[in-house]
């Protein structure tokens, strides 16, 4: 009860806090700002645990086919139902590319307003050499006799007797480079040039039988000093899903497995500084951040956000399917593979051939959204593409050109043509830069 304001507040079973005027008083439409300030004041008086789970939801009503502002209510973000979450996403992200950038700019403005610096990750690899001992000739064929011989030779190898005849293959040969935060980097190269091996090595997902030399660090820390898989995520070029699950269930399962990471800590520090400075946040930004940072929520708003920006909202209730069950298309399955990783809290992404099976316009839309995330949240994103379209190529800040295990070029995208002109290779007019680079390399 707030006697001095003449207002009453009550909490319903669903977690909503409603407000009304005491002593028969009513507020007119001219006092909307005062009412919203009162709601934020009421939220700030809550204990910290409740304050980080409470925000303002504005309900919209349809008039002549257009949404108009309706009532505002204080809600517990853990109790948002599916329709309310979908309503929030549709209102904030009407056009995925444009509205995603607008929202991220609002998010960044809220962070900068209170002087919070977002954490960043710089990935370095120095003198990295990766070798494999492979069978050659007929022994490389996956026949039943070869499998039996391989098993016997492995048993002898455990006893210190090495009878296998293998050939040493160098996949990456003394490569060095830096993947910087807030700069999206493109990895270019033909098949068998070592792109996948490089991405797997940076994410610490290489096979144990490969011989690795050199050093890989995250902000100067080696792999034995932290757990890389909690810091980075690798998006495979192979689509491996549970066929019986729907698209939404797949993303929700991935989100719950990965957790919220540092989102909750960031939100707690942000709320503390805003309370000290007397700043009231924008309702939509606050609602989204709180709904995507609650660790115990059964369904996160990040799932609906990922469905929207990847264009999967049209098939969210369709099963994924496989060769025996009819489900989503190959392009949608590829986007789902990407969404499984970006729905999590990791800001260091290594993405391998995410454009396979996608048309150029869809690839551009996905890369554009990733660029906005990279620039406005200072993420570290390293993407491998085989032959990107010119408009997609122009979205990247840096380029790494790989050829037969060697790095031919690493640096800003704007300087790659002058570099090859200096080397004697001039790009013809009306030719895509990515196509030209692949031709020069070969």
């Amino acid at each position: 009860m707030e006697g001095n304001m003449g207002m009453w507040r009550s909490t319903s079973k669903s977690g909503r806090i409603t407000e009304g005027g005491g002593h028969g008083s009513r507020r007119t439409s001219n006092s909307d700002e005062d009412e919203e300030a009162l709601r934020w004041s009421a939220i700030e008086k809550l204990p910290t645990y409740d304050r980080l789970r409470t925000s303002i939801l504005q309900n919209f009503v349809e008039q002549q086919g257009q949404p108009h502002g309706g009532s505002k209510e204080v809600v517990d973000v853990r109790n948002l139902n599916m329709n309310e979450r979908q309503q929030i996403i549709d209102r904030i992200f009407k056009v995925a590319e444009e509205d995603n950038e607008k929202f991220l700019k609002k998010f960044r403005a809220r962070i900068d307003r209170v002087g919070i610096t977002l954490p960043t990750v710089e990935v370095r690899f120095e003198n990295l050499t990766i070798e494999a001992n492979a069978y050659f000739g007929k022994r490389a064929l996956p026949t039943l006799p070869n499998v039996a011989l391989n098993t016997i030779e492995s048993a002898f190898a455990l006893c210190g007797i090495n009878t296998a005849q293998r050939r040493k293959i160098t996949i990456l040969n003394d490569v060095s480079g830096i993947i910087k935060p807030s700069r999206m980097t493109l990895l270019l190269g033909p098949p068998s040039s070592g792109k996948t091996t490089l991405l797997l090595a940076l994410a610490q997902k290489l096979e144990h039988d490969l011989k690795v030399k050199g050093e890989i660090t995250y902000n100067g820390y080696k792999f034995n000093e932290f757990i890389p898989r909690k810091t980075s995520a690798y998006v495979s070029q192979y689509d491996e899903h549970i066929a019986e699950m729907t698209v939404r269930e797949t993303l929700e399962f991935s989100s719950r497995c990965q957790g919220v990471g540092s989102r909750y800590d960031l939100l707690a520090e942000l709320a503390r500084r805003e309370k000290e400075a007397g700043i009231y946040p924008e309702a939509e930004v606050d609602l989204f951040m709180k709904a995507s940072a609650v660790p115990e929520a059964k369904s996160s708003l990040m799932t609906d956000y990922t469905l929207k920006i990847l264009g999967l909202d049209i098939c969210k209730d369709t099963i994924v399917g496989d060769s025996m069950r009819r489900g989503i298309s190959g392009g949608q399955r590829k986007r789902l593979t990407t969404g499984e990783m970006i729905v999590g809290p990791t800001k260091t992404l290594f993405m391998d051939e995410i454009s396979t099976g996608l048309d150029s316009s869809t690839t551009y839309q996905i890369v554009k959204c990733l660029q906005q995330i990279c620039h406005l949240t200072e993420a570290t994103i390293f993407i491998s593409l085989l032959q990107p379209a010119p408009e997609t190529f122009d979205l990247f800040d840096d380029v790494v050109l790989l050829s037969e295990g060697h790095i031919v070029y690493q640096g800003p995208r704007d300087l790659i043509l002058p570099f090859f002109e200096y080397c004697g290779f001039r790009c013809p007019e009306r030719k895509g830069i990515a196509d030209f680079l692949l031709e020069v390399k070969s």
Side-chain angles (χ1 to χ4, degrees):
M1 185 76 177
E2 299 177 9
N4 56 342
M5 291 293 183
M7 298 289 294
W8 56 265
R9 300 168 57 248
S10 64
T11 305
S12 64
K13 293 182 180 179
S14 63
R16 285 168 169 74
I17 301 174
T18 56
E19 298 186 6
H23 310 292
S25 64
R26 294 183 178 180
R27 296 187 178 275
T28 63
S29 58
N30 296 329
S31 60
D32 288 343
E33 293 182 0
D34 295 336
E35 287 186 7
E36 187 165 348
L38 286 174
R39 291 188 177 96
W40 284 118
S41 298
I43 292 174
E44 284 191 351
K45 294 177 181 178
L46 296 173
T48 303
Y49 180 86
D50 295 329
R51 189 170 73 250
L52 296 182
R53 289 158 176 77
T54 308
S55 188
I56 296 177
L57 172 66
Q58 180 172 3
N59 294 316
F60 283 79
V61 294
E62 292 284 340
Q63 293 183 7
Q64 298 179 353
Q66 297 294 329
H68 288 263
S71 61
K72 292 183 179 180
E73 55 181 336
V74 180
V75 298
D76 188 330
V77 296
R78 295 171 297 179
N79 299 323
L80 295 175
N81 59 42
M82 187 178 297
N83 292 331
E84 289 172 334
R85 295 200 310 271
Q86 189 61 46
Q87 192 180 75
I88 295 168
I89 294 296
D90 291 340
R91 187 165 69 245
I92 300 177
F93 306 100
K94 294 179 182 178
V95 181
E97 295 176 27
E98 300 175 3
D99 295 334
N100 182 57
E101 185 175 15
K102 292 178 183 177
F103 173 78
L104 289 176
K105 285 182 177 178
K106 292 178 181 179
F107 163 79
R108 187 57 190 265
R110 183 185 181 188
I111 298 294
D112 294 339
R113 191 182 301 124
V114 293
I116 292 180
T117 302
L118 293 174
T120 59
V121 177
E122 182 180 87
V123 181
R124 290 175 178 258
F125 52 99
E126 299 179 10
N127 307 118
L128 183 62
T129 300
I130 299 177
E131 299 174 345
N133 291 323
Y135 292 102
F136 57 93
K138 293 182 179 180
R139 283 299 306 277
L141 298 176
T143 61
L144 185 59
N146 285 342
V147 172
L149 285 174
N150 294 345
T151 305
I152 295 172
E153 289 173 352
S154 300
F156 280 125
L158 294 175
C159 301
I161 303 173
N162 191 3
T163 61
Q165 295 181 355
R166 300 186 182 185
R167 179 179 297 172
K168 186 175 70 174
I169 299 176
T170 302
I171 304 174
L172 293 177
N173 192 351
D174 195 28
V175 297
S176 301
I178 304 174
I179 312 301
K180 299 180 180 179
S182 193
R183 291 184 64 85
M184 198 159 66
T185 306
L186 170 65
L187 178 59
L188 270 181
S192 303
S193 60
K195 301 193 303 295
T196 299
T197 303
L198 177 59
L199 294 172
L200 287 170
L202 297 180
Q204 205 196 23
K205 289 183 176 290
L206 281 175
E207 297 292 337
H208 297 294
D209 56 351
L210 294 177
K211 186 177 181 180
V212 181
K213 300 177 183 177
E215 189 176 83
I216 301 174
T217 59
Y218 285 36
N219 288 344
Y221 293 93
K222 299 179 182 179
F223 282 165
N224 58 359
E225 298 176 316
F226 71 107
I227 303 176
R229 297 191 181 188
K230 289 186 177 181
T231 306
S232 63
Y234 170 75
V235 180
S236 174
Q237 59 181 317
Y238 304 109
D239 305 323
E240 299 176 355
H241 307 288
I242 300 175
E244 294 81 7
M245 295 178 67
T246 65
V247 173
R248 177 187 288 278
E249 289 170 347
T250 302
L251 290 180
E252 286 181 350
F253 178 72
S254 176
S255 176
R256 297 192 70 179
C257 287
Q258 296 181 71
V260 298
S262 60
R263 290 179 193 152
Y264 185 82
D265 296 331
L266 172 65
L267 184 63
E269 179 65 18
L270 183 62
R272 184 186 67 81
R273 295 194 184 189
E274 285 180 338
K275 184 177 181 180
E276 291 177 353
I279 299 174
Y280 294 149
E282 188 174 342
E284 288 184 345
V285 179
D286 183 75
L287 179 63
F288 184 91
M289 291 183 66
K290 289 179 178 177
S292 59
V294 178
E296 65 270 19
K298 293 183 179 180
S299 182
S300 171
L301 199 62
M302 281 299 297
T303 302
D304 302 271
Y305 168 73
T306 306
L307 288 169
K308 185 68 175 181
I309 66 172
L310 293 180
L312 293 172
D313 50 336
I314 60 174
C315 60
K316 58 187 176 183
D317 297 320
T318 306
I319 65 169
V320 177
D322 55 13
S323 56
M324 300 297 293
R325 299 173 182 82
R326 186 174 181 180
I328 58 179
S329 66
Q332 291 169 339
R333 192 174 290 111
K334 171 58 66 176
R335 281 178 274 168
L336 179 60
T337 304
T338 302
E340 277 185 314
M341 292 296 104
I342 67 174
V343 75
T346 54
K347 295 176 58 180
T348 306
L349 297 173
F350 302 105
M351 316 181 79
D352 192 8
E353 299 291 354
I354 62 172
S355 62
T356 304
L358 302 180
D359 57 83
S360 58
S361 61
T362 305
T363 303
Y364 175 84
Q365 176 188 349
I366 294 174
V367 176
K368 180 68 175 177
C369 291
L370 290 173
Q371 182 206 43
Q372 295 163 355
I373 294 172
C374 178
H375 289 171
L376 294 172
T377 66
E378 298 189 23
T380 304
I381 301 180
F382 196 20
I383 303 179
S384 165
L385 297 177
L386 180 60
Q387 209 166 3
E391 60 271 12
T392 304
F393 180 82
D394 292 339
L395 294 175
F396 290 89
D397 303 294
D398 296 324
V399 176
V400 176
L401 183 59
L402 202 61
S403 174
E404 298 180 0
H406 297 270
I407 289 183
V408 180
Y409 174 86
Q410 180 183 5
R413 173 185 54 83
D414 299 335
L415 301 180
I416 194 168
L417 286 184
F419 170 79
F420 280 102
E421 277 191 32
Y422 177 79
C423 296
F425 301 97
R426 185 180 181 87
C427 181
E429 295 182 1
R430 296 186 298 275
K431 188 175 186 64
I433 299 178
D435 298 337
F436 164 72
L437 294 175
L438 293 178
E439 288 182 6
V440 168
K441 185 216 64 60
S442 60

